[in-house]
Amino acid sequence: MEEGPQIQVRFTTRQTQYAVTDTPIVVPTRLKRYGLSEIINHLLGLEKPKPFDFLIDGEFLRTSLNEYLVEKGLSTENLITIEYVESMLPPTPLSGYKHDDWIGAIDKEQEGFFLTGCYDNKVRVWNKSGDCVETFVGHEGPIKSVKWMKSQDGGLRLLSGSHDQTVIAWEYSPSEQSYEMLYQCVGHKGSIESIAVHESGDHFLTASWDGSIKFWNTESVEEEDSSAVQTKNKRRKAAKESDVPTKVIPTLRPCTPLTTLDGHVGSVSSIIYNQSNYNQAFSGGWDHSIRIWDLESRVNVNTKNCEKVVLDVDFSEKSGLLASGHSDRSIRLWDPRSDDSAVVKLTLSSHQNWVSSVSWSEKSPFMLVSGSYDSNIKVWDIRSKAPLYTISGASQPDQKVLAVEWSNDMILSGGEDCSFKIHSAKLE
């Protein structure tokens, strides 16, 4: 059979368990990913074939070698170095946890528990078996953000931000099947859209529809909290939800912000710490900007200007990049170390409606997940401009995905279909 044009290639990989000789070999230029994967499996002598992806100059090969050569203006006389990596398996559904209303917020696994915030004004804790082990009642509006928070005594603490313009701090005791409302944060004049928690648990940031970001200190509140106040607000599973106050709670000591960070013109939709430098934070808003904040001096030190509303931002400690989701259906990647205010490192386009949520994998500098009002969740490897996988994030095609999180080997999502979904997303 006529092989057609051929080219010399050298295979290389950073996954040492799959390393083959780096001696150049000749392969037909008609080969695509599947054919190249067959060659690697043959060289490795694997009994059970494994799928591989291939990168040339840091970008995934999604065409034949011949089409790549034409696109790059190269000839068959060139020696091409091809890096290969084991393919990520398609995400598979593990479970779905039903709620009474839309799910507006989720947070990653903490000690075997998941956290969801719902438009029925309640915060819920779920275990891996799919059981709702606790329901926190106290807010008088939809929950827009939930975050686990480190506790000095090793307990499970969390924060919830609501459309009622307040943040409530809670402590959950799995062994006693009880929870406490610790304190309430008041000061915003609009819905709490996003919460970011310092790794120490001593500070946190809130972003609001009122256009401001507030910086809070938990230490002073906890020092002043009396055991009488905590006992008064303790709620057992046996307590009736109707007994729990649902407005500004007079028995809770209020927490007031240390300072307010002003700069956005319009709603601030998202706030996140730089996990590599907790004196720095990033925010995104409806004023088409991403802002970088120095928390020590408490000033806006850089502003990235976008064409459209910013709905969510997330920072990858591994890659050092910011990802942002936008109302023009795009995801943009930014290098916060760059002084240029308008240069986008990469734009990813595939969603058919607003990109409501983005979340980096904690294990890879390249992997990202996004959720959209188009009902879909997309898994990206930023070395390719096309998504690796598209999975349904809702029961009906007109139901919005409002929140996604990449948590270890799981992708968590929730939205208008009132179901908290978990998909496996294992990376080698």
mmCIF file of all heavy atoms in Angstrom, residues 67-108:
data_model
loop_
_atom_site.group_PDB
_atom_site.id
_atom_site.type_symbol
_atom_site.label_atom_id
_atom_site.label_comp_id
_atom_site.label_asym_id
_atom_site.label_seq_id
_atom_site.Cartn_x
_atom_site.Cartn_y
_atom_site.Cartn_z
ATOM 1 N N GLU A 67 -1.367 18.418 7.193
ATOM 2 C CA GLU A 67 -2.086 19.686 7.360
ATOM 3 C C GLU A 67 -1.320 20.623 8.281
ATOM 4 O O GLU A 67 -1.293 21.843 8.067
ATOM 5 C CB GLU A 67 -3.496 19.427 7.921
ATOM 6 C CG GLU A 67 -4.438 18.760 6.930
ATOM 7 C CD GLU A 67 -5.742 18.346 7.579
ATOM 8 O OE1 GLU A 67 -5.738 17.325 8.299
ATOM 9 O OE2 GLU A 67 -6.745 19.053 7.375
ATOM 10 N N TYR A 68 -0.669 20.068 9.292
ATOM 11 C CA TYR A 68 0.136 20.894 10.194
ATOM 12 C C TYR A 68 1.306 21.523 9.437
ATOM 13 O O TYR A 68 1.593 22.722 9.600
ATOM 14 C CB TYR A 68 0.658 20.048 11.358
ATOM 15 C CG TYR A 68 1.628 20.781 12.250
ATOM 16 C CD1 TYR A 68 1.173 21.629 13.256
ATOM 17 C CD2 TYR A 68 3.004 20.648 12.066
ATOM 18 C CE1 TYR A 68 2.061 22.325 14.069
ATOM 19 C CE2 TYR A 68 3.903 21.341 12.876
ATOM 20 C CZ TYR A 68 3.422 22.177 13.869
ATOM 21 O OH TYR A 68 4.311 22.867 14.655
ATOM 22 N N LEU A 69 1.986 20.728 8.606
ATOM 23 C CA LEU A 69 3.129 21.242 7.843
ATOM 24 C C LEU A 69 2.709 22.371 6.923
ATOM 25 O O LEU A 69 3.392 23.402 6.820
ATOM 26 C CB LEU A 69 3.774 20.112 7.030
ATOM 27 C CG LEU A 69 4.427 18.977 7.836
ATOM 28 C CD1 LEU A 69 4.888 17.870 6.896
ATOM 29 C CD2 LEU A 69 5.606 19.490 8.653
ATOM 30 N N VAL A 70 1.568 22.196 6.248
ATOM 31 C CA VAL A 70 1.072 23.232 5.339
ATOM 32 C C VAL A 70 0.747 24.507 6.113
ATOM 33 O O VAL A 70 1.100 25.617 5.700
ATOM 34 C CB VAL A 70 -0.167 22.719 4.569
ATOM 35 C CG1 VAL A 70 -0.820 23.865 3.786
ATOM 36 C CG2 VAL A 70 0.216 21.579 3.641
ATOM 37 N N GLU A 71 0.053 24.348 7.257
ATOM 38 C CA GLU A 71 -0.345 25.507 8.056
ATOM 39 C C GLU A 71 0.866 26.290 8.559
ATOM 40 O O GLU A 71 0.856 27.533 8.590
ATOM 41 C CB GLU A 71 -1.181 25.038 9.255
ATOM 42 C CG GLU A 71 -1.637 26.161 10.169
ATOM 43 C CD GLU A 71 -2.313 25.648 11.435
ATOM 44 O OE1 GLU A 71 -2.633 24.451 11.509
ATOM 45 O OE2 GLU A 71 -2.499 26.470 12.358
ATOM 46 N N LYS A 72 1.952 25.574 8.911
ATOM 47 C CA LYS A 72 3.127 26.229 9.471
ATOM 48 C C LYS A 72 4.181 26.576 8.416
ATOM 49 O O LYS A 72 5.235 27.143 8.747
ATOM 50 C CB LYS A 72 3.773 25.329 10.537
ATOM 51 C CG LYS A 72 2.853 24.992 11.708
ATOM 52 C CD LYS A 72 2.449 26.238 12.495
ATOM 53 C CE LYS A 72 1.585 25.884 13.694
ATOM 54 N NZ LYS A 72 1.147 27.080 14.451
ATOM 55 N N GLY A 73 3.890 26.252 7.170
ATOM 56 C CA GLY A 73 4.838 26.555 6.107
ATOM 57 C C GLY A 73 6.100 25.714 6.172
ATOM 58 O O GLY A 73 7.195 26.184 5.816
ATOM 59 N N LEU A 74 5.990 24.464 6.631
ATOM 60 C CA LEU A 74 7.130 23.572 6.751
ATOM 61 C C LEU A 74 7.107 22.521 5.646
ATOM 62 O O LEU A 74 6.073 22.300 5.001
ATOM 63 C CB LEU A 74 7.118 22.880 8.118
ATOM 64 C CG LEU A 74 7.131 23.818 9.345
ATOM 65 C CD1 LEU A 74 6.947 23.008 10.626
ATOM 66 C CD2 LEU A 74 8.424 24.617 9.401
ATOM 67 N N SER A 75 8.225 21.869 5.425
ATOM 68 C CA SER A 75 8.311 20.828 4.395
ATOM 69 C C SER A 75 8.640 19.496 5.048
ATOM 70 O O SER A 75 8.980 19.421 6.234
ATOM 71 C CB SER A 75 9.394 21.175 3.364
ATOM 72 O OG SER A 75 10.685 20.944 3.913
ATOM 73 N N THR A 76 8.593 18.440 4.266
ATOM 74 C CA THR A 76 8.904 17.103 4.769
ATOM 75 C C THR A 76 10.395 16.938 5.036
ATOM 76 O O THR A 76 10.815 15.904 5.548
ATOM 77 C CB THR A 76 8.434 16.029 3.776
ATOM 78 O OG1 THR A 76 8.989 16.311 2.480
ATOM 79 C CG2 THR A 76 6.915 16.006 3.675
ATOM 80 N N GLU A 77 11.185 17.953 4.695
ATOM 81 C CA GLU A 77 12.617 17.904 4.987
ATOM 82 C C GLU A 77 12.904 18.244 6.454
ATOM 83 O O GLU A 77 13.991 17.986 6.954
ATOM 84 C CB GLU A 77 13.375 18.897 4.086
ATOM 85 C CG GLU A 77 13.226 18.636 2.593
ATOM 86 C CD GLU A 77 13.752 17.260 2.207
ATOM 87 O OE1 GLU A 77 14.819 16.864 2.712
ATOM 88 O OE2 GLU A 77 13.069 16.567 1.418
ATOM 89 N N ASN A 78 11.918 18.840 7.117
ATOM 90 C CA ASN A 78 12.107 19.217 8.522
ATOM 91 C C ASN A 78 12.046 18.006 9.431
ATOM 92 O O ASN A 78 11.345 17.025 9.147
ATOM 93 C CB ASN A 78 11.040 20.221 8.957
ATOM 94 C CG ASN A 78 11.193 21.567 8.285
ATOM 95 O OD1 ASN A 78 10.566 21.833 7.267
ATOM 96 N ND2 ASN A 78 12.029 22.423 8.846
ATOM 97 N N LEU A 79 12.789 18.078 10.551
ATOM 98 C CA LEU A 79 12.673 17.103 11.625
ATOM 99 C C LEU A 79 11.729 17.695 12.675
ATOM 100 O O LEU A 79 11.972 18.779 13.206
ATOM 101 C CB LEU A 79 14.038 16.803 12.251
ATOM 102 C CG LEU A 79 14.033 15.964 13.539
ATOM 103 C CD1 LEU A 79 13.498 14.562 13.279
ATOM 104 C CD2 LEU A 79 15.435 15.915 14.151
ATOM 105 N N ILE A 80 10.633 16.996 12.956
ATOM 106 C CA ILE A 80 9.622 17.487 13.880
ATOM 107 C C ILE A 80 9.738 16.753 15.218
ATOM 108 O O ILE A 80 9.771 15.521 15.259
ATOM 109 C CB ILE A 80 8.194 17.284 13.311
ATOM 110 C CG1 ILE A 80 8.053 17.947 11.942
ATOM 111 C CG2 ILE A 80 7.150 17.825 14.285
ATOM 112 C CD1 ILE A 80 8.182 19.454 11.970
ATOM 113 N N THR A 81 9.821 17.514 16.313
ATOM 114 C CA THR A 81 9.791 16.931 17.662
ATOM 115 C C THR A 81 8.355 16.942 18.167
ATOM 116 O O THR A 81 7.701 17.992 18.196
ATOM 117 C CB THR A 81 10.687 17.713 18.626
ATOM 118 O OG1 THR A 81 12.045 17.652 18.156
ATOM 119 C CG2 THR A 81 10.621 17.117 20.028
ATOM 120 N N ILE A 82 7.865 15.762 18.543
ATOM 121 C CA ILE A 82 6.477 15.618 18.991
ATOM 122 C C ILE A 82 6.465 15.130 20.437
ATOM 123 O O ILE A 82 7.018 14.069 20.753
ATOM 124 C CB ILE A 82 5.703 14.617 18.104
ATOM 125 C CG1 ILE A 82 5.733 15.058 16.621
ATOM 126 C CG2 ILE A 82 4.256 14.485 18.587
ATOM 127 C CD1 ILE A 82 5.046 14.072 15.686
ATOM 128 N N GLU A 83 5.841 15.916 21.301
ATOM 129 C CA GLU A 83 5.666 15.499 22.690
ATOM 130 C C GLU A 83 4.333 14.762 22.826
ATOM 131 O O GLU A 83 3.342 15.169 22.212
ATOM 132 C CB GLU A 83 5.675 16.703 23.637
ATOM 133 C CG GLU A 83 5.499 16.318 25.102
ATOM 134 C CD GLU A 83 5.422 17.516 26.040
ATOM 135 O OE1 GLU A 83 5.563 18.660 25.562
ATOM 136 O OE2 GLU A 83 5.209 17.289 27.248
ATOM 137 N N TYR A 84 4.317 13.682 23.591
ATOM 138 C CA TYR A 84 3.067 12.955 23.782
ATOM 139 C C TYR A 84 2.743 12.829 25.270
ATOM 140 O O TYR A 84 3.629 12.760 26.117
ATOM 141 C CB TYR A 84 3.098 11.579 23.103
ATOM 142 C CG TYR A 84 4.200 10.651 23.568
ATOM 143 C CD1 TYR A 84 3.961 9.667 24.537
ATOM 144 C CD2 TYR A 84 5.481 10.739 23.025
ATOM 145 C CE1 TYR A 84 4.974 8.806 24.947
ATOM 146 C CE2 TYR A 84 6.499 9.884 23.429
ATOM 147 C CZ TYR A 84 6.238 8.926 24.390
ATOM 148 O OH TYR A 84 7.243 8.078 24.802
ATOM 149 N N VAL A 85 1.443 12.858 25.577
ATOM 150 C CA VAL A 85 0.941 12.728 26.949
ATOM 151 C C VAL A 85 -0.248 11.779 26.933
ATOM 152 O O VAL A 85 -0.974 11.691 25.922
ATOM 153 C CB VAL A 85 0.501 14.084 27.540
ATOM 154 C CG1 VAL A 85 1.675 15.028 27.678
ATOM 155 C CG2 VAL A 85 -0.599 14.722 26.703
ATOM 156 N N GLU A 86 -0.435 11.057 28.019
ATOM 157 C CA GLU A 86 -1.604 10.189 28.098
ATOM 158 C C GLU A 86 -2.869 11.030 28.077
ATOM 159 O O GLU A 86 -2.974 12.053 28.757
ATOM 160 C CB GLU A 86 -1.565 9.346 29.367
ATOM 161 C CG GLU A 86 -2.683 8.308 29.432
ATOM 162 C CD GLU A 86 -2.593 7.417 30.653
ATOM 163 O OE1 GLU A 86 -1.746 7.668 31.516
ATOM 164 O OE2 GLU A 86 -3.407 6.465 30.740
ATOM 165 N N SER A 87 -3.843 10.634 27.268
ATOM 166 C CA SER A 87 -5.075 11.396 27.148
ATOM 167 C C SER A 87 -5.885 11.334 28.431
ATOM 168 O O SER A 87 -5.912 10.309 29.121
ATOM 169 C CB SER A 87 -5.939 10.848 26.001
ATOM 170 O OG SER A 87 -5.267 10.954 24.775
ATOM 171 N N MET A 88 -6.535 12.451 28.737
ATOM 172 C CA MET A 88 -7.491 12.462 29.841
ATOM 173 C C MET A 88 -8.744 11.713 29.403
ATOM 174 O O MET A 88 -9.258 11.941 28.302
ATOM 175 C CB MET A 88 -7.846 13.905 30.205
ATOM 176 C CG MET A 88 -8.934 14.020 31.249
ATOM 177 S SD MET A 88 -9.450 15.728 31.509
ATOM 178 C CE MET A 88 -10.920 15.463 32.529
ATOM 179 N N LEU A 89 -9.234 10.806 30.237
ATOM 180 C CA LEU A 89 -10.457 10.081 29.914
ATOM 181 C C LEU A 89 -11.654 11.027 29.992
ATOM 182 O O LEU A 89 -11.641 11.995 30.746
ATOM 183 C CB LEU A 89 -10.646 8.906 30.874
ATOM 184 C CG LEU A 89 -9.602 7.794 30.776
ATOM 185 C CD1 LEU A 89 -9.821 6.770 31.883
ATOM 186 C CD2 LEU A 89 -9.641 7.127 29.402
ATOM 187 N N PRO A 90 -12.698 10.773 29.232
ATOM 188 C CA PRO A 90 -13.883 11.634 29.297
ATOM 189 C C PRO A 90 -14.465 11.655 30.703
ATOM 190 O O PRO A 90 -14.522 10.616 31.364
ATOM 191 C CB PRO A 90 -14.863 10.974 28.309
ATOM 192 C CG PRO A 90 -14.017 10.139 27.416
ATOM 193 C CD PRO A 90 -12.861 9.688 28.238
ATOM 194 N N PRO A 91 -14.867 12.819 31.205
ATOM 195 C CA PRO A 91 -15.514 12.871 32.525
ATOM 196 C C PRO A 91 -16.767 12.006 32.546
ATOM 197 O O PRO A 91 -17.534 11.977 31.572
ATOM 198 C CB PRO A 91 -15.871 14.355 32.683
ATOM 199 C CG PRO A 91 -14.936 15.078 31.780
ATOM 200 C CD PRO A 91 -14.728 14.158 30.608
ATOM 201 N N THR A 92 -16.956 11.276 33.637
ATOM 202 C CA THR A 92 -18.126 10.414 33.760
ATOM 203 C C THR A 92 -18.942 10.823 34.984
ATOM 204 O O THR A 92 -18.373 11.161 36.034
ATOM 205 C CB THR A 92 -17.717 8.933 33.898
ATOM 206 O OG1 THR A 92 -16.808 8.803 35.004
ATOM 207 C CG2 THR A 92 -17.028 8.457 32.637
ATOM 208 N N PRO A 93 -20.281 10.817 34.878
ATOM 209 C CA PRO A 93 -21.112 11.235 36.021
ATOM 210 C C PRO A 93 -21.006 10.247 37.172
ATOM 211 O O PRO A 93 -21.051 9.036 36.970
ATOM 212 C CB PRO A 93 -22.525 11.272 35.431
ATOM 213 C CG PRO A 93 -22.478 10.399 34.214
ATOM 214 C CD PRO A 93 -21.086 10.475 33.693
ATOM 215 N N LEU A 94 -20.855 10.788 38.379
ATOM 216 C CA LEU A 94 -20.795 9.961 39.583
ATOM 217 C C LEU A 94 -22.081 10.029 40.374
ATOM 218 O O LEU A 94 -22.591 9.008 40.835
ATOM 219 C CB LEU A 94 -19.623 10.405 40.466
ATOM 220 C CG LEU A 94 -18.218 10.222 39.896
ATOM 221 C CD1 LEU A 94 -17.180 10.741 40.877
ATOM 222 C CD2 LEU A 94 -17.956 8.757 39.580
ATOM 223 N N SER A 95 -22.618 11.239 40.543
ATOM 224 C CA SER A 95 -23.835 11.384 41.342
ATOM 225 C C SER A 95 -24.456 12.745 41.108
ATOM 226 O O SER A 95 -23.830 13.659 40.583
ATOM 227 C CB SER A 95 -23.519 11.204 42.838
ATOM 228 O OG SER A 95 -22.463 12.052 43.224
ATOM 229 N N GLY A 96 -25.710 12.859 41.521
ATOM 230 C CA GLY A 96 -26.425 14.122 41.463
ATOM 231 C C GLY A 96 -27.254 14.304 42.716
ATOM 232 O O GLY A 96 -27.982 13.394 43.124
ATOM 233 N N TYR A 97 -27.137 15.460 43.362
ATOM 234 C CA TYR A 97 -27.815 15.718 44.626
ATOM 235 C C TYR A 97 -28.895 16.774 44.388
ATOM 236 O O TYR A 97 -28.582 17.916 44.039
ATOM 237 C CB TYR A 97 -26.843 16.231 45.687
ATOM 238 C CG TYR A 97 -25.627 15.359 45.926
ATOM 239 C CD1 TYR A 97 -24.489 15.891 46.527
ATOM 240 C CD2 TYR A 97 -25.597 14.003 45.577
ATOM 241 C CE1 TYR A 97 -23.361 15.108 46.777
ATOM 242 C CE2 TYR A 97 -24.484 13.222 45.818
ATOM 243 C CZ TYR A 97 -23.369 13.775 46.411
ATOM 244 O OH TYR A 97 -22.260 12.993 46.648
ATOM 245 N N LYS A 98 -30.140 16.420 44.584
ATOM 246 C CA LYS A 98 -31.254 17.328 44.294
ATOM 247 C C LYS A 98 -31.437 18.377 45.392
ATOM 248 O O LYS A 98 -31.284 18.097 46.568
ATOM 249 C CB LYS A 98 -32.559 16.538 44.129
ATOM 250 C CG LYS A 98 -32.615 15.680 42.872
ATOM 251 C CD LYS A 98 -32.472 16.482 41.591
ATOM 252 C CE LYS A 98 -33.644 17.416 41.350
ATOM 253 N NZ LYS A 98 -33.518 18.156 40.060
ATOM 254 N N HIS A 99 -31.758 19.581 44.948
ATOM 255 C CA HIS A 99 -32.070 20.695 45.837
ATOM 256 C C HIS A 99 -33.496 21.173 45.580
ATOM 257 O O HIS A 99 -34.136 20.762 44.606
ATOM 258 C CB HIS A 99 -31.086 21.852 45.604
ATOM 259 C CG HIS A 99 -29.701 21.593 46.100
ATOM 260 N ND1 HIS A 99 -28.935 20.537 45.665
ATOM 261 C CD2 HIS A 99 -28.930 22.279 46.994
ATOM 262 C CE1 HIS A 99 -27.754 20.578 46.264
ATOM 263 N NE2 HIS A 99 -27.727 21.626 47.075
ATOM 264 N N ASP A 100 -33.961 22.057 46.445
ATOM 265 C CA ASP A 100 -35.319 22.594 46.299
ATOM 266 C C ASP A 100 -35.384 23.792 45.368
ATOM 267 O O ASP A 100 -36.480 24.248 45.019
ATOM 268 C CB ASP A 100 -35.878 23.001 47.675
ATOM 269 C CG ASP A 100 -36.041 21.804 48.592
ATOM 270 O OD1 ASP A 100 -36.262 20.689 48.070
ATOM 271 O OD2 ASP A 100 -35.943 21.974 49.821
ATOM 272 N N ASP A 101 -34.223 24.335 44.991
ATOM 273 C CA ASP A 101 -34.196 25.530 44.142
ATOM 274 C C ASP A 101 -32.864 25.570 43.407
ATOM 275 O O ASP A 101 -32.045 24.661 43.528
ATOM 276 C CB ASP A 101 -34.395 26.784 45.002
ATOM 277 C CG ASP A 101 -35.081 27.926 44.254
ATOM 278 O OD1 ASP A 101 -34.902 28.007 43.025
ATOM 279 O OD2 ASP A 101 -35.787 28.725 44.890
ATOM 280 N N TRP A 102 -32.643 26.642 42.648
ATOM 281 C CA TRP A 102 -31.393 26.786 41.912
ATOM 282 C C TRP A 102 -30.192 26.722 42.849
ATOM 283 O O TRP A 102 -30.253 27.193 43.984
ATOM 284 C CB TRP A 102 -31.349 28.126 41.191
ATOM 285 C CG TRP A 102 -32.371 28.341 40.140
ATOM 286 C CD1 TRP A 102 -33.391 27.505 39.777
ATOM 287 C CD2 TRP A 102 -32.488 29.499 39.300
ATOM 288 N NE1 TRP A 102 -34.129 28.063 38.774
ATOM 289 C CE2 TRP A 102 -33.601 29.287 38.462
ATOM 290 C CE3 TRP A 102 -31.769 30.684 39.197
ATOM 291 C CZ2 TRP A 102 -34.004 30.234 37.520
ATOM 292 C CZ3 TRP A 102 -32.158 31.618 38.254
ATOM 293 C CH2 TRP A 102 -33.262 31.393 37.419
ATOM 294 N N ILE A 103 -29.094 26.170 42.333
ATOM 295 C CA ILE A 103 -27.836 26.149 43.074
ATOM 296 C C ILE A 103 -26.981 27.309 42.574
ATOM 297 O O ILE A 103 -26.588 27.350 41.406
ATOM 298 C CB ILE A 103 -27.098 24.813 42.884
ATOM 299 C CG1 ILE A 103 -27.968 23.667 43.422
ATOM 300 C CG2 ILE A 103 -25.745 24.829 43.575
ATOM 301 C CD1 ILE A 103 -27.496 22.309 43.014
ATOM 302 N N GLY A 104 -26.714 28.255 43.474
ATOM 303 C CA GLY A 104 -25.973 29.445 43.082
ATOM 304 C C GLY A 104 -24.504 29.400 43.423
ATOM 305 O O GLY A 104 -23.729 30.214 42.924
ATOM 306 N N ALA A 105 -24.096 28.446 44.281
ATOM 307 C CA ALA A 105 -22.704 28.411 44.729
ATOM 308 C C ALA A 105 -22.329 27.017 45.195
ATOM 309 O O ALA A 105 -23.157 26.288 45.751
ATOM 310 C CB ALA A 105 -22.498 29.411 45.871
ATOM 311 N N ILE A 106 -21.069 26.646 44.967
ATOM 312 C CA ILE A 106 -20.529 25.378 45.452
ATOM 313 C C ILE A 106 -19.089 25.604 45.895
ATOM 314 O O ILE A 106 -18.450 26.579 45.494
ATOM 315 C CB ILE A 106 -20.575 24.258 44.383
ATOM 316 C CG1 ILE A 106 -19.880 24.719 43.083
ATOM 317 C CG2 ILE A 106 -21.982 23.832 44.077
ATOM 318 C CD1 ILE A 106 -19.911 23.697 41.978
ATOM 319 N N ASP A 107 -18.588 24.726 46.754
ATOM 320 C CA ASP A 107 -17.165 24.779 47.087
ATOM 321 C C ASP A 107 -16.604 23.372 47.126
ATOM 322 O O ASP A 107 -17.326 22.383 47.293
ATOM 323 C CB ASP A 107 -16.920 25.484 48.422
ATOM 324 C CG ASP A 107 -15.468 25.963 48.554
ATOM 325 O OD1 ASP A 107 -14.770 26.033 47.520
ATOM 326 O OD2 ASP A 107 -15.038 26.265 49.673
ATOM 327 N N LYS A 108 -15.280 23.299 46.999
ATOM 328 C CA LYS A 108 -14.575 22.046 46.831
ATOM 329 C C LYS A 108 -14.685 21.156 48.067
ATOM 330 O O LYS A 108 -15.057 21.603 49.147
ATOM 331 C CB LYS A 108 -13.106 22.332 46.508
ATOM 332 C CG LYS A 108 -12.933 23.139 45.231
ATOM 333 C CD LYS A 108 -11.500 23.545 44.991
ATOM 334 C CE LYS A 108 -11.401 24.395 43.717
ATOM 335 N NZ LYS A 108 -10.019 24.827 43.447
#
